[in-house]
Amino acid sequence: MNMNITLGPLVALIAGILILVMPRLLNYIIALYLIIIGLVGLFGSGHLRL
């Protein structure tokens, strides 16, 4: 069995669990996610897919 885990769903799962445990983290999680997406978009890394 081949297990390929991409970064996007893994980040979404971890963020969802953290939001359920501590809802006040929602703003920080969204801000961090947007910053990472923006940096990846600016530097155009083809190897990192979110």
Side-chain angles (χ1 to χ4, degrees), residues 5-45:
I5 299 176
T6 57
L7 193 57
L10 186 61
V11 169
L13 179 65
I14 293 170
I17 292 170
L18 286 175
I19 290 168
L20 281 175
V21 173
M22 293 185 283
R24 292 175 52 177
L25 283 179
L26 180 61
N27 291 334
Y28 297 109
I29 291 171
I30 292 174
L32 186 63
Y33 180 75
L34 291 174
I35 289 169
I36 291 171
I37 294 295
L39 289 174
V40 169
L42 283 175
F43 295 113
S45 176

